[in-house]
Amino acid sequence: MQYEVASGDLIPNLGEKNFVAYGEGGQARTIKAQVCEVNKPLLSVSRMVQAGNTVVFSRSGSYVEDENSGERISLREQGGMYMLKLWIKNQSFQRQAEETW
């Protein structure tokens, strides 16, 4: 499988990765991601909704809400994109990642 990037180039899918990410409030979320060579990872709103979340985009406050627990992770608008700040812990390192869609 390949993906077309904004320049029109094709990049290969390098596999799939399942991991736990943590929101700013410490909320743990399991994420399944397709791996490819990109600078900024993207999240699919439709997949987040299919996984049991409500996604709200609003001038008064945007967020992703878990429909079971009611926990919310805030989104911030930056240059027309909505950013979700997550921390991802890996066995060999820990880094901060910002997921964008």
Side-chain angles (χ1 to χ4, degrees), residues 2 12 14 24 28 42 58-59 62 64 68 75 81 94:
Q2 295 184 327
L14 303 174
E24 291 181 289
L42 302 173
S58 171
R59 286 186 296 216
S62 301
V64 177
N68 293 320
L75 299 170
M81 295 188 297
Q94 184 170 349

Side-chain angles (χ1 to χ4, degrees), residues 1 4 15 41 55 59 62:
M1 177 182 283
E4 183 176 355
V55 183
R59 286 186 296 216
S62 301

Side-chain angles (χ1 to χ4, degrees), residues 75-86:
L75 299 170
R76 64 181 168 80
E77 189 271 332
Q78 182 178 334
M81 295 188 297
Y82 287 85
M83 311 294 273
L84 174 63
K85 189 176 283 190
L86 298 172

Side-chain angles (χ1 to χ4, degrees), residues 12-99:
N13 178 310
L14 303 174
E16 184 172 273
K17 181 99 176 162
N18 293 300
F19 56 91
V20 176
Y22 298 89
E24 291 181 289
Q27 315 91 321
R29 295 292 181 264
T30 302
I31 296 177
K32 181 189 294 187
Q34 301 304 307
V35 179
C36 57
E37 292 284 333
V38 295
N39 293 324
K40 290 186 178 182
L42 302 173
L43 290 171
S44 166
V45 173
S46 64
R47 293 258 172 107
M48 292 184 352
V49 169
Q50 290 171 8
N53 297 286
T54 297
V55 183
V56 174
F57 299 100
S58 171
R59 286 186 296 216
S60 62
S62 301
Y63 57 89
V64 177
E65 180 177 277
D66 183 302
E67 292 176 352
N68 293 320
S69 69
E71 289 181 315
R72 290 183 179 180
I73 299 177
S74 295
L75 299 170
R76 64 181 168 80
E77 189 271 332
Q78 182 178 334
M81 295 188 297
Y82 287 85
M83 311 294 273
L84 174 63
K85 189 176 283 190
L86 298 172
W87 282 264
I88 302 166
K89 185 175 182 180
N90 190 311
Q91 292 177 359
S92 61
F93 69 95
Q94 184 170 349
R95 67 181 175 89
Q96 177 180 338
E98 285 197 341
E99 305 290 341

